[in-house]
Amino acid sequence: MTSKVTTRPLRVLQLTDPHLMASADGALLGVNTRDSLDAVIAEVLRSHGQPDLILATGDLAQDGSEQAYRVLGGRLGAFSCDSAWIAGNHDHATRLNTVAASYGANHRHIVRGGWQFILLDSSVPGKVFGELVETELDFLADTLEQHPDLPALVTLHHHPVDIGAEWMKEIGLRNREDFWQVIDRFPQVKVVLWGHIHQIHEQQRKGVQLLATPSTCIQFTSGSRKFSVEDQAPGYRWFEFQASGNFKTEVCRALDFEFELDQNSSGY
């Protein structure tokens, strides 16, 4: 008598836009960003348990400080797995990469569970919008060419498609056509994942699932013409990947987290 062996899916956690600060009482529009990240981590452990990999997809620090990145590294110690970090528009990429390396979180290509994860730096120093320089696009293409049989998730900070919010049209990925020209060459790409927009976004493009995720702190109002935040709890995205190329994903929020959001701000 034989029994069929069932392989457990690879569990991946996306945390994005925590906007941590050097000061322990640092707050964004009234929300203490360390407290909100703590609440999200507690919710992950309560609802899903330990992941196998964490993707931290930019705006990790609001102030670009080394202290903020070390706070992130310390908080991620709640998980017994590797993490990988990329920069967003609020980050200081050099400091981030230095601290990330000290935590082993500076890998740009990760192969796990029959999948490959490719992390891109779309940050532009001093700018809110994003751009993938030629070396990033070459890295993406070369990596996909070398691993044609592995389903791929590609992640960056900035949104590479229009998300229906007028004020964010000019702060997404500027050279998105160049990005999609690369992606369209490789049918093994199954997922493109990003942060930056502080809200859920899900759509399909040529068979690729496009996904964005709530921030671990404040949330932007979906579909808004001008800058606007809404009173929604901080959240995260959870994935379960099968070696077959199939996957499941869901967004969860730390609904027990109590906060007073400044909804009258015109920016952050």
Side-chain angles (χ1 to χ4, degrees), residues 157-176:
H157 179 68
H158 293 83
H159 49 293
V161 293
D162 181 17
I163 63 161
E166 186 71 24
W167 73 275
M168 284 194 274
K169 276 189 174 180
E170 299 302 318
I171 64 170
L173 186 69
R174 282 283 178 94
N175 60 334
R176 59 187 62 178

Side-chain angles (χ1 to χ4, degrees), residues 237-256:
R237 184 177 289 277
W238 183 265
F239 290 93
E240 294 187 355
F241 293 99
Q242 300 283 356
S244 63
N246 295 324
F247 69 94
K248 296 178 180 178
T249 186
E250 63 177 323
V251 167
C252 295
R253 297 182 186 270
L255 297 176
D256 293 339

